[in-house]
Amino acid sequence: MNPKPTDAHDGWSLVVPLKPLALAKSRLAPATGARLRPRLALAFAEDTVGAALDCAGVRDVAVVTDDPTAGVALAALGARIVPDAPASGLNAALVHGVRAVRSGRPHARVAALNADLPALRPAELTRVLDAARNFPRAFLADAAEIGTTFLSAAPEVELEPAFGGASRLRHLSSGAVEIRLAGVDSVRRDVDTGEDLAAALALGLGPRTAARWLTAAG
């Protein structure tokens, strides 16, 4: 594992929102079946958090969730679990997570990261984080160029998340700078459907997702 930054205000704090597993990734059910779907949702989150924590520039990861099974599994990887007190959807969870991080480190550099990036590579996320340092707020569009998988805010800057649906345009309209980098496909490849999962498989699934999916697929 890479050494972590020593400056309390230098390393990134990532905030990862996660629905209760029983509700997560509903559009994936036709491809995976009802029993495997929540297990894959957890595996996606485990591979996302594990890869993020392996980035040298990441100080910590806060997962906003009320799911007890996910909380135990992700805490075991080293994530901080923040209960979803607002229980008012994705963006409220992200604002709450950032508030929790900055309650202890008011000048923290923060970024929201989707929980469904099962092919995430630490080196690619590091490139995105390095690019984001140049702007007060920055974001990365998903592979479809419609949604968003990453949104950052510099110290003393509010995150102002607008995730969900066509969030790329909303983040652009809010003044966030779009990060345009080649070769960071794993940071853009979120998984909502069977086709998305096949694309992530082509990139190379993380170990927990691979173990569950490839075993199930026979």
Side-chain angles (χ1 to χ4, degrees):
M1 186 174 292
N2 293 321
K4 296 295 180 184
T6 56
D7 185 338
H9 301 310
D10 189 43
W12 287 91
S13 288
L14 302 188
V15 180
V16 177
L18 181 63
K19 284 183 181 180
L21 297 177
L23 304 176
K25 300 291 116 187
S26 59
R27 292 166 57 197
L28 198 57
T32 66
R35 291 187 62 188
L36 182 58
R37 175 190 52 77
R39 298 175 188 176
L40 278 177
L42 176 55
F44 294 171
E46 288 175 312
D47 283 331
T48 299
V49 169
L53 286 169
D54 277 344
C55 291
V58 171
R59 177 186 174 87
D60 50 26
V61 174
V63 177
V64 183
T65 188
D66 275 338
D67 190 285
T69 299
V72 169
L74 297 170
L77 294 178
R80 172 187 177 183
I81 306 303
V82 177
D84 186 4
S88 297
L90 174 58
N91 293 306
L94 287 169
V95 169
H96 177 62
V98 170
R99 188 177 298 123
V101 167
R102 286 181 168 169
S103 67
R105 293 196 304 127
H107 305 290
R109 187 183 300 276
V110 297
L113 186 69
N114 284 14
D116 58 349
L117 302 172
L120 186 62
R121 298 292 185 265
E124 294 183 16
L125 178 57
T126 295
R127 291 185 61 213
V128 173
L129 292 169
D130 288 346
R133 279 183 174 274
N134 297 311
F135 309 104
R137 291 173 64 242
F139 75 95
L140 188 73
D142 64 10
E145 303 251 342
I146 296 171
T148 306
T149 60
F150 170 95
L151 174 70
S152 67
E156 321 264 344
V157 176
E158 295 299 322
L159 187 65
E160 298 181 51
F163 283 82
S167 61
R168 174 178 177 266
L169 289 179
R170 289 197 298 275
H171 286 134
L172 274 174
S173 298
S174 74
V177 174
E178 183 170 8
I179 296 170
R180 304 292 289 183
L181 287 175
V184 293
D185 295 348
S186 75
V187 196
R188 302 181 65 196
R189 181 71 275 167
D190 56 343
V191 173
D192 289 313
T193 66
E195 291 78 9
D196 296 337
L197 183 55
L201 177 61
L203 289 175
L205 296 172
R208 297 161 189 88
T209 304
R212 284 182 174 86
W213 176 241
L214 296 178
T215 298

